[in-house]
Amino acid sequence: MSDTITLKYDVSTDDFTRAGEASSDVKRKLKNMNVNPEAVRKVAIAMYEGEINMVIHANGGVITVTIDPDCITMILADKGPGIPDIAKAMQAGYSTAPDNVRDLGFGAGMGLPNMKKYSDDMKIETELGVGTTVTMKVFLAA
Amino acid sequence: MTVKELIDSGKFEVVNVGAATDTKITDVFCCDLLSIAMSRGIEGAAWVTVMGNINTLAVLSLTDMSCIVLAEGTNLDQAAKAKAIEQKITVLRTDEPEFKAGLYIHGKLG
């Protein structure tokens, strides 16, 4: 694998029936590229959590995945309400998900903590009323 | 024990047979919160849960667990059933509680 590959996904608003499709597609492609299974798992978990967050909190958005020989970069950009308190949002167990979302098995307050845990580097840029961009990297061992 | 052997045990009602029935069941995983299942799901495990929605299927395929066993009389909703058929995911169900269903499968793992 020597070339850079870029994948782009539109994440629909409030569409839980399609949530996870982007992550599943990336996982399938990485497996086909023989990326090591641990990195594939990390990308799948981190991206799925981000994808679900976009559906729950941000009216959808766009995910761009760049696959380089040494790194997989996921950029999740939305035009949602922004995160008022990142430190609080990063606390395991803290959630602002509504009841209908909790009924689906989400809202455990594990989304952002899982994204941080399963990526090797994570950066959150957010502005209230404008949106949030989360950039996550998973490094590939040489 | 393989997924097929679990189906053939007759212990569970078959919601969808699925395609990867030769997969070896490596463990049992019981959990209803999808974020926890996403991060802790064990590859090859039979996942016992009461969550029968389409996101359960997404988590199963992302974590490479082997099959879903719905407990406490729960079932897939209509959209999830269509997706399980489309994605060829094995889904079983039982009226028993999660613990008893999981214990049964664990006892068969040898």
Side-chain angles (χ1 to χ4, degrees):
Chain A
M1 191 171 73
S2 57
D3 298 330
T4 295
I5 296 167
T6 302
L7 308 166
K8 208 163 186 177
Y9 301 91
D10 283 317
V11 178
S12 309
T13 306
D14 238 12
D15 188 354
F16 283 98
T17 62
R18 293 190 57 200
E21 283 189 0
S23 316
S24 297
D25 189 63
V26 170
K27 182 187 176 192
R28 199 163 38 243
K29 287 188 163 80
L30 293 176
K31 274 179 126 175
N32 289 342
M33 289 175 201
N34 289 322
V35 171
N36 81 69
E38 183 54 26
V40 174
R41 179 178 169 82
K42 287 166 70 175
V43 169
I45 293 172
M47 186 169 157
Y48 179 72
E49 293 288 6
E51 194 178 345
I52 290 294
N53 271 352
M54 290 170 97
V55 175
I56 296 174
H57 299 289
N59 306 317
V62 175
I63 302 176
T64 307
V65 180
T66 308
I67 305 164
D68 287 305
D70 58 348
C71 180
I72 296 163
T73 306
M74 297 159 272
I75 301 173
L76 294 79
D78 69 61
K79 293 187 168 66
I83 305 171
D85 187 338
I86 291 178
K88 208 168 181 179
M90 289 301 300
Q91 286 174 14
Y94 177 80
S95 175
T96 57
D99 285 347
N100 66 320
V101 169
R102 290 172 192 265
D103 288 346
L104 292 170
F106 299 113
M110 297 296 290
L112 280 170
N114 273 349
M115 288 161 71
K116 185 165 178 60
K117 181 177 173 186
Y118 287 96
S119 57
D120 295 318
D121 183 68
M122 182 170 96
K123 185 174 73 176
I124 301 174
E125 296 158 286
T126 188
E127 192 175 340
L128 292 181
V130 177
T132 300
T133 298
V134 179
T135 304
M136 296 184 287
K137 288 179 187 289
V138 170
F139 299 116
L140 303 174
Chain B
M1 180 173 62
T2 63
V3 171
K4 184 178 186 309
E5 286 167 339
L6 182 63
I7 292 170
D8 291 345
S9 74
K11 172 79 174 170
F12 301 105
E13 182 186 325
V14 179
V15 178
N16 188 52
V17 174
T21 52
D22 289 339
T23 304
K24 189 175 188 305
I25 299 175
T26 58
D27 208 334
V28 183
F29 180 74
C30 297
C31 182
D32 300 318
L33 285 170
L34 298 188
S35 280
I36 292 175
M38 189 69 219
S39 65
R40 300 273 180 85
I42 302 159
E43 186 174 344
W47 179 14
V48 186
T49 181
V50 296
M51 300 305 294
N53 62 58
I54 206 158
N55 305 107
T56 315
L57 303 174
V59 171
L60 181 100
S61 82
L62 284 163
T63 54
D64 290 324
M65 287 192 272
S66 57
C67 61
I68 293 169
V69 179
L70 295 167
E72 302 277 9
T74 55
N75 206 339
L76 293 180
D77 59 36
Q78 207 174 355
K81 185 159 186 188
K83 197 79 171 177
I85 293 167
E86 178 197 321
Q87 297 194 341
K88 302 181 175 66
I89 293 172
T90 302
V91 182
L92 310 176
R93 66 181 294 275
T94 177
D95 288 334
E96 287 194 340
E98 286 186 26
F99 177 76
K100 279 196 166 179
L103 189 64
Y104 173 82
I105 300 167
H106 188 266
K108 294 279 183 186
L109 293 183

Short mmCIF file of all heavy atoms in Angstrom, two decimals, chain A residues 16-21 23-24 27 31 41 44-45 48-49 52 102-106 108 110-111 114 117-118, chain B residues 32-43 51 53-56 58-64 77 79 83:
data_model
loop_
_atom_site.label_atom_id
_atom_site.label_comp_id
_atom_site.label_asym_id
_atom_site.label_seq_id
_atom_site.Cartn_x
_atom_site.Cartn_y
_atom_site.Cartn_z
N PHE A 16 -31.01 6.61 11.98
CA PHE A 16 -30.35 5.53 12.70
C PHE A 16 -30.33 4.23 11.90
O PHE A 16 -29.60 3.32 12.23
CB PHE A 16 -31.03 5.29 14.05
CG PHE A 16 -30.66 6.32 15.05
CD1 PHE A 16 -31.50 7.39 15.30
CD2 PHE A 16 -29.47 6.24 15.74
CE1 PHE A 16 -31.14 8.36 16.21
CE2 PHE A 16 -29.10 7.20 16.65
CZ PHE A 16 -29.94 8.26 16.89
N THR A 17 -31.15 4.19 10.84
CA THR A 17 -31.15 2.96 10.05
C THR A 17 -29.89 2.86 9.20
O THR A 17 -29.51 1.80 8.75
CB THR A 17 -32.38 2.87 9.12
OG1 THR A 17 -32.34 3.96 8.20
CG2 THR A 17 -33.67 2.91 9.92
N ARG A 18 -29.23 4.00 8.96
CA ARG A 18 -28.01 3.98 8.14
C ARG A 18 -26.76 4.21 8.96
O ARG A 18 -25.65 4.11 8.43
CB ARG A 18 -28.11 5.03 7.03
CG ARG A 18 -29.18 4.69 6.00
CD ARG A 18 -29.09 5.60 4.81
NE ARG A 18 -27.77 5.54 4.19
CZ ARG A 18 -27.30 6.49 3.39
NH1 ARG A 18 -28.03 7.55 3.13
NH2 ARG A 18 -26.10 6.38 2.86
N ALA A 19 -26.95 4.56 10.23
CA ALA A 19 -25.78 4.82 11.08
C ALA A 19 -24.91 3.57 11.15
O ALA A 19 -25.41 2.48 11.38
CB ALA A 19 -26.22 5.23 12.47
N GLY A 20 -23.64 3.74 10.93
CA GLY A 20 -22.72 2.61 10.94
C GLY A 20 -22.31 2.17 9.55
O GLY A 20 -21.37 1.41 9.39
N GLU A 21 -23.03 2.64 8.53
CA GLU A 21 -22.70 2.20 7.17
C GLU A 21 -21.33 2.69 6.72
O GLU A 21 -20.57 1.96 6.09
CB GLU A 21 -23.77 2.68 6.18
CG GLU A 21 -25.04 1.87 6.25
CD GLU A 21 -26.02 2.20 5.13
OE1 GLU A 21 -25.72 3.08 4.31
OE2 GLU A 21 -27.10 1.59 5.12
N SER A 23 -18.76 3.48 8.68
CA SER A 23 -17.73 2.75 9.44
C SER A 23 -17.56 1.34 8.88
O SER A 23 -16.44 0.84 8.76
CB SER A 23 -18.13 2.65 10.92
OG SER A 23 -18.62 3.87 11.37
N SER A 24 -18.69 0.70 8.56
CA SER A 24 -18.63 -0.67 8.03
C SER A 24 -17.90 -0.69 6.69
O SER A 24 -17.11 -1.60 6.42
CB SER A 24 -20.04 -1.24 7.84
OG SER A 24 -20.68 -1.34 9.07
N LYS A 27 -14.19 -0.22 7.31
CA LYS A 27 -13.64 -1.45 7.88
C LYS A 27 -13.41 -2.50 6.78
O LYS A 27 -12.35 -3.12 6.72
CB LYS A 27 -14.60 -2.02 8.93
CG LYS A 27 -14.05 -3.25 9.60
CD LYS A 27 -15.05 -3.90 10.50
CE LYS A 27 -14.47 -5.19 11.05
NZ LYS A 27 -15.47 -6.01 11.71
N LYS A 31 -9.78 -3.99 5.62
CA LYS A 31 -9.51 -5.44 5.67
C LYS A 31 -9.02 -5.93 4.31
O LYS A 31 -8.07 -6.72 4.23
CB LYS A 31 -10.78 -6.20 6.05
CG LYS A 31 -10.99 -6.30 7.56
CD LYS A 31 -12.27 -7.03 7.86
CE LYS A 31 -12.05 -8.20 8.78
NZ LYS A 31 -13.34 -8.83 9.17
N ARG A 41 -9.74 -2.53 13.87
CA ARG A 41 -10.70 -2.50 14.98
C ARG A 41 -10.76 -1.10 15.60
O ARG A 41 -11.83 -0.58 15.88
CB ARG A 41 -10.28 -3.54 16.03
CG ARG A 41 -11.19 -3.59 17.25
CD ARG A 41 -10.72 -4.69 18.21
NE ARG A 41 -11.40 -4.59 19.49
CZ ARG A 41 -12.60 -5.08 19.74
NH1 ARG A 41 -13.27 -5.69 18.78
NH2 ARG A 41 -13.14 -4.96 20.93
N ALA A 44 -12.60 1.22 13.26
CA ALA A 44 -14.03 0.91 13.21
C ALA A 44 -14.75 1.45 14.44
O ALA A 44 -15.82 2.07 14.34
CB ALA A 44 -14.23 -0.61 13.10
N ILE A 45 -14.18 1.25 15.61
CA ILE A 45 -14.82 1.70 16.85
C ILE A 45 -14.85 3.22 16.92
O ILE A 45 -15.90 3.84 17.16
CB ILE A 45 -14.09 1.13 18.09
CG1 ILE A 45 -14.25 -0.39 18.15
CG2 ILE A 45 -14.63 1.77 19.38
CD1 ILE A 45 -13.41 -1.07 19.22
N TYR A 48 -17.22 4.64 14.23
CA TYR A 48 -18.63 4.35 14.49
C TYR A 48 -19.17 5.27 15.58
O TYR A 48 -20.27 5.83 15.46
CB TYR A 48 -18.79 2.89 14.92
CG TYR A 48 -20.22 2.51 15.23
CD1 TYR A 48 -21.17 2.38 14.22
CD2 TYR A 48 -20.64 2.28 16.54
CE1 TYR A 48 -22.48 2.04 14.50
CE2 TYR A 48 -21.95 1.94 16.83
CZ TYR A 48 -22.86 1.82 15.81
OH TYR A 48 -24.17 1.50 16.09
N GLU A 49 -18.40 5.45 16.64
CA GLU A 49 -18.84 6.33 17.72
C GLU A 49 -19.02 7.76 17.20
O GLU A 49 -19.98 8.44 17.55
CB GLU A 49 -17.83 6.32 18.87
CG GLU A 49 -17.73 5.00 19.61
CD GLU A 49 -18.93 4.70 20.49
OE1 GLU A 49 -19.92 5.45 20.45
OE2 GLU A 49 -18.89 3.69 21.22
N ILE A 52 -22.17 7.92 15.01
CA ILE A 52 -23.39 7.93 15.83
C ILE A 52 -23.57 9.30 16.48
O ILE A 52 -24.68 9.85 16.52
CB ILE A 52 -23.31 6.82 16.91
CG1 ILE A 52 -23.41 5.44 16.26
CG2 ILE A 52 -24.41 7.01 17.96
CD1 ILE A 52 -24.75 5.13 15.62
N ARG A 102 -31.57 6.84 23.83
CA ARG A 102 -31.20 5.87 24.88
C ARG A 102 -31.96 4.55 24.69
O ARG A 102 -31.43 3.48 24.96
CB ARG A 102 -31.49 6.45 26.26
CG ARG A 102 -30.55 7.59 26.62
CD ARG A 102 -30.97 8.27 27.91
NE ARG A 102 -30.27 9.52 28.09
CZ ARG A 102 -29.16 9.67 28.82
NH1 ARG A 102 -28.64 8.63 29.42
NH2 ARG A 102 -28.58 10.83 28.91
N ASP A 103 -33.20 4.67 24.24
CA ASP A 103 -34.00 3.46 24.01
C ASP A 103 -33.37 2.55 22.96
O ASP A 103 -33.64 1.35 22.93
CB ASP A 103 -35.42 3.83 23.57
CG ASP A 103 -36.24 4.42 24.71
OD1 ASP A 103 -35.81 4.30 25.88
OD2 ASP A 103 -37.31 5.01 24.44
N LEU A 104 -32.56 3.12 22.08
CA LEU A 104 -31.90 2.33 21.04
C LEU A 104 -30.61 1.69 21.53
O LEU A 104 -29.95 0.95 20.80
CB LEU A 104 -31.59 3.21 19.82
CG LEU A 104 -32.79 3.72 19.02
CD1 LEU A 104 -32.34 4.77 18.01
CD2 LEU A 104 -33.50 2.58 18.32
N GLY A 105 -30.23 1.99 22.77
CA GLY A 105 -29.02 1.38 23.33
C GLY A 105 -27.83 2.31 23.32
O GLY A 105 -26.71 1.93 23.67
N PHE A 106 -28.06 3.58 22.93
CA PHE A 106 -26.97 4.56 22.96
C PHE A 106 -27.13 5.44 24.20
O PHE A 106 -27.98 5.20 25.04
CB PHE A 106 -27.01 5.44 21.70
CG PHE A 106 -26.84 4.67 20.43
CD1 PHE A 106 -27.88 4.55 19.52
CD2 PHE A 106 -25.63 4.06 20.14
CE1 PHE A 106 -27.72 3.84 18.35
CE2 PHE A 106 -25.47 3.34 18.96
CZ PHE A 106 -26.52 3.23 18.08
N ALA A 108 -24.83 6.05 26.56
CA ALA A 108 -24.14 5.58 27.77
C ALA A 108 -23.03 6.55 28.17
O ALA A 108 -22.35 6.33 29.17
CB ALA A 108 -23.56 4.19 27.53
N MET A 110 -20.33 7.09 26.41
CA MET A 110 -19.06 6.45 26.08
C MET A 110 -18.54 6.88 24.71
O MET A 110 -17.46 6.45 24.30
CB MET A 110 -19.23 4.92 26.07
CG MET A 110 -19.61 4.31 27.40
SD MET A 110 -18.33 4.54 28.63
CE MET A 110 -17.08 3.43 27.96
N GLY A 111 -19.30 7.70 24.00
CA GLY A 111 -18.94 8.05 22.62
C GLY A 111 -17.58 8.71 22.51
O GLY A 111 -16.64 8.13 21.95
N ASN A 114 -14.67 6.68 24.04
CA ASN A 114 -14.24 5.58 23.16
C ASN A 114 -13.45 6.10 21.97
O ASN A 114 -12.48 5.48 21.53
CB ASN A 114 -15.46 4.80 22.65
CG ASN A 114 -15.89 3.69 23.60
OD1 ASN A 114 -15.18 3.37 24.54
ND2 ASN A 114 -17.07 3.13 23.37
N LYS A 117 -10.05 6.82 23.25
CA LYS A 117 -9.36 5.60 23.63
C LYS A 117 -8.86 4.81 22.42
O LYS A 117 -7.77 4.24 22.43
CB LYS A 117 -10.31 4.73 24.46
CG LYS A 117 -9.74 3.42 24.95
CD LYS A 117 -10.76 2.69 25.82
CE LYS A 117 -10.26 1.30 26.18
NZ LYS A 117 -11.29 0.52 26.89
N TYR A 118 -9.67 4.77 21.37
CA TYR A 118 -9.34 3.91 20.23
C TYR A 118 -8.63 4.64 19.09
O TYR A 118 -8.29 4.03 18.09
CB TYR A 118 -10.58 3.18 19.73
CG TYR A 118 -10.97 2.09 20.71
CD1 TYR A 118 -11.94 2.31 21.68
CD2 TYR A 118 -10.31 0.86 20.72
CE1 TYR A 118 -12.27 1.33 22.61
CE2 TYR A 118 -10.63 -0.12 21.63
CZ TYR A 118 -11.61 0.12 22.57
OH TYR A 118 -11.92 -0.85 23.49
N ASP B 32 -26.17 -4.68 26.79
CA ASP B 32 -27.26 -4.00 26.08
C ASP B 32 -26.91 -2.57 25.66
O ASP B 32 -27.66 -1.97 24.91
CB ASP B 32 -28.53 -3.99 26.94
CG ASP B 32 -28.97 -5.39 27.27
OD1 ASP B 32 -28.94 -6.25 26.37
OD2 ASP B 32 -29.32 -5.65 28.43
N LEU B 33 -25.84 -2.04 26.19
CA LEU B 33 -25.45 -0.69 25.78
C LEU B 33 -24.48 -0.80 24.60
O LEU B 33 -23.42 -1.41 24.70
CB LEU B 33 -24.80 0.05 26.95
CG LEU B 33 -25.79 0.52 28.01
CD1 LEU B 33 -25.07 1.03 29.25
CD2 LEU B 33 -26.71 1.60 27.47
N LEU B 34 -24.86 -0.19 23.50
CA LEU B 34 -24.13 -0.44 22.26
C LEU B 34 -22.71 0.11 22.28
O LEU B 34 -21.81 -0.48 21.69
CB LEU B 34 -24.92 0.12 21.07
CG LEU B 34 -26.30 -0.51 20.85
CD1 LEU B 34 -26.91 -0.03 19.55
CD2 LEU B 34 -26.26 -2.02 20.86
N SER B 35 -22.51 1.24 22.96
CA SER B 35 -21.14 1.79 23.02
C SER B 35 -20.21 0.87 23.79
O SER B 35 -19.02 0.75 23.46
CB SER B 35 -21.14 3.16 23.70
OG SER B 35 -21.54 4.14 22.79
N ILE B 36 -20.75 0.23 24.82
CA ILE B 36 -19.92 -0.72 25.57
C ILE B 36 -19.68 -1.96 24.72
O ILE B 36 -18.56 -2.46 24.62
CB ILE B 36 -20.58 -1.06 26.92
CG1 ILE B 36 -20.55 0.18 27.82
CG2 ILE B 36 -19.87 -2.23 27.60
CD1 ILE B 36 -21.28 0.03 29.12
N ALA B 37 -20.73 -2.43 24.05
CA ALA B 37 -20.58 -3.59 23.17
C ALA B 37 -19.58 -3.29 22.07
O ALA B 37 -18.77 -4.14 21.69
CB ALA B 37 -21.92 -3.98 22.58
N MET B 38 -19.62 -2.07 21.58
CA MET B 38 -18.71 -1.67 20.49
C MET B 38 -17.26 -1.75 20.95
O MET B 38 -16.38 -2.21 20.21
CB MET B 38 -19.07 -0.24 20.07
CG MET B 38 -18.39 0.24 18.84
SD MET B 38 -18.98 -0.61 17.39
CE MET B 38 -17.46 -0.77 16.50
N SER B 39 -17.00 -1.31 22.16
CA SER B 39 -15.60 -1.27 22.60
C SER B 39 -15.15 -2.57 23.27
O SER B 39 -13.97 -2.86 23.33
CB SER B 39 -15.37 -0.10 23.56
OG SER B 39 -16.10 -0.27 24.73
N ARG B 40 -16.10 -3.34 23.79
CA ARG B 40 -15.71 -4.54 24.52
C ARG B 40 -16.10 -5.84 23.83
O ARG B 40 -15.75 -6.92 24.31
CB ARG B 40 -16.37 -4.53 25.91
CG ARG B 40 -16.00 -3.33 26.77
CD ARG B 40 -14.72 -3.63 27.55
NE ARG B 40 -14.35 -2.50 28.39
CZ ARG B 40 -14.82 -2.28 29.59
NH1 ARG B 40 -15.69 -3.12 30.11
NH2 ARG B 40 -14.42 -1.24 30.29
N GLY B 41 -16.88 -5.75 22.78
CA GLY B 41 -17.33 -6.96 22.10
C GLY B 41 -16.15 -7.85 21.73
O GLY B 41 -15.12 -7.36 21.27
N ILE B 42 -16.31 -9.14 21.94
CA ILE B 42 -15.20 -10.08 21.74
C ILE B 42 -15.36 -10.77 20.39
O ILE B 42 -16.43 -11.33 20.10
CB ILE B 42 -15.21 -11.14 22.86
CG1 ILE B 42 -15.11 -10.46 24.24
CG2 ILE B 42 -14.10 -12.16 22.67
CD1 ILE B 42 -15.61 -11.32 25.38
N GLU B 43 -14.31 -10.72 19.59
CA GLU B 43 -14.36 -11.34 18.27
C GLU B 43 -14.77 -12.81 18.39
O GLU B 43 -14.21 -13.55 19.20
CB GLU B 43 -12.99 -11.23 17.59
CG GLU B 43 -13.03 -11.72 16.15
CD GLU B 43 -11.70 -11.48 15.43
OE1 GLU B 43 -10.89 -10.68 15.92
OE2 GLU B 43 -11.50 -12.10 14.37
N MET B 51 -31.39 -5.89 22.88
CA MET B 51 -31.51 -4.82 21.89
C MET B 51 -31.63 -5.41 20.48
O MET B 51 -30.66 -5.96 19.95
CB MET B 51 -30.29 -3.89 21.93
CG MET B 51 -30.07 -3.21 23.26
SD MET B 51 -31.49 -2.27 23.85
CE MET B 51 -31.58 -1.00 22.61
N ASN B 53 -32.45 -3.83 17.48
CA ASN B 53 -32.62 -2.83 16.42
C ASN B 53 -31.47 -2.91 15.41
O ASN B 53 -30.51 -3.67 15.58
CB ASN B 53 -32.80 -1.41 17.00
CG ASN B 53 -31.59 -0.95 17.78
OD1 ASN B 53 -30.50 -0.89 17.24
ND2 ASN B 53 -31.79 -0.62 19.06
N ILE B 54 -31.55 -2.07 14.43
CA ILE B 54 -30.61 -2.15 13.31
C ILE B 54 -29.17 -1.83 13.74
O ILE B 54 -28.21 -2.32 13.16
CB ILE B 54 -31.10 -1.20 12.19
CG1 ILE B 54 -30.60 -1.67 10.84
CG2 ILE B 54 -30.77 0.24 12.46
CD1 ILE B 54 -31.44 -1.16 9.70
N ASN B 55 -29.06 -1.04 14.80
CA ASN B 55 -27.72 -0.68 15.28
C ASN B 55 -27.01 -1.86 15.95
O ASN B 55 -25.79 -1.94 15.96
CB ASN B 55 -27.81 0.51 16.22
CG ASN B 55 -28.52 1.68 15.57
OD1 ASN B 55 -29.67 1.98 15.90
ND2 ASN B 55 -27.89 2.30 14.59
N THR B 56 -27.81 -2.78 16.50
CA THR B 56 -27.23 -4.00 17.07
C THR B 56 -26.49 -4.76 15.98
O THR B 56 -25.39 -5.28 16.20
CB THR B 56 -28.36 -4.89 17.66
OG1 THR B 56 -29.25 -4.08 18.42
CG2 THR B 56 -27.79 -5.98 18.54
N ALA B 58 -25.19 -3.47 13.25
CA ALA B 58 -23.99 -2.72 12.87
C ALA B 58 -22.85 -3.01 13.85
O ALA B 58 -21.71 -3.24 13.45
CB ALA B 58 -24.29 -1.22 12.84
N VAL B 59 -23.18 -3.02 15.14
CA VAL B 59 -22.14 -3.27 16.15
C VAL B 59 -21.60 -4.69 16.00
O VAL B 59 -20.39 -4.92 16.09
CB VAL B 59 -22.69 -3.01 17.57
CG1 VAL B 59 -21.70 -3.48 18.63
CG2 VAL B 59 -23.00 -1.53 17.76
N LEU B 60 -22.49 -5.64 15.75
CA LEU B 60 -22.04 -7.02 15.58
C LEU B 60 -21.05 -7.13 14.43
O LEU B 60 -19.98 -7.73 14.56
CB LEU B 60 -23.22 -7.96 15.30
CG LEU B 60 -22.78 -9.42 15.14
CD1 LEU B 60 -23.02 -10.20 16.42
CD2 LEU B 60 -23.45 -10.10 13.98
N SER B 61 -21.39 -6.50 13.31
CA SER B 61 -20.50 -6.66 12.16
C SER B 61 -19.20 -5.89 12.35
O SER B 61 -18.15 -6.33 11.88
CB SER B 61 -21.22 -6.30 10.86
OG SER B 61 -21.21 -4.93 10.67
N LEU B 62 -19.25 -4.77 13.07
CA LEU B 62 -18.01 -4.01 13.29
C LEU B 62 -17.07 -4.70 14.28
O LEU B 62 -15.86 -4.52 14.24
CB LEU B 62 -18.33 -2.60 13.76
CG LEU B 62 -18.85 -1.66 12.66
CD1 LEU B 62 -19.53 -0.44 13.26
CD2 LEU B 62 -17.72 -1.23 11.75
N THR B 63 -17.65 -5.46 15.21
CA THR B 63 -16.82 -6.11 16.23
C THR B 63 -16.48 -7.56 15.88
O THR B 63 -15.75 -8.21 16.62
CB THR B 63 -17.54 -6.12 17.60
OG1 THR B 63 -18.83 -6.72 17.41
CG2 THR B 63 -17.69 -4.72 18.15
N ASP B 64 -17.03 -8.06 14.77
CA ASP B 64 -16.79 -9.44 14.34
C ASP B 64 -17.25 -10.47 15.37
O ASP B 64 -16.65 -11.55 15.49
CB ASP B 64 -15.30 -9.67 14.01
CG ASP B 64 -14.89 -8.94 12.76
OD1 ASP B 64 -15.70 -8.85 11.84
OD2 ASP B 64 -13.75 -8.44 12.71
N ASP B 77 -36.75 -5.70 15.29
CA ASP B 77 -37.83 -4.95 14.68
C ASP B 77 -37.78 -5.20 13.17
O ASP B 77 -36.85 -5.85 12.66
CB ASP B 77 -37.76 -3.45 15.04
CG ASP B 77 -36.46 -2.79 14.60
OD1 ASP B 77 -35.94 -3.15 13.53
OD2 ASP B 77 -35.98 -1.89 15.32
N ALA B 79 -37.22 -3.39 10.43
CA ALA B 79 -36.06 -2.89 9.66
C ALA B 79 -34.83 -3.73 9.94
O ALA B 79 -34.05 -4.05 9.04
CB ALA B 79 -35.79 -1.43 10.02
N LYS B 83 -32.54 -6.14 7.45
CA LYS B 83 -31.09 -5.93 7.36
C LYS B 83 -30.33 -7.22 7.70
O LYS B 83 -29.30 -7.52 7.07
CB LYS B 83 -30.70 -4.81 8.34
CG LYS B 83 -29.35 -4.20 8.09
CD LYS B 83 -29.42 -3.21 6.95
CE LYS B 83 -28.15 -2.42 6.82
NZ LYS B 83 -28.21 -1.51 5.67
#
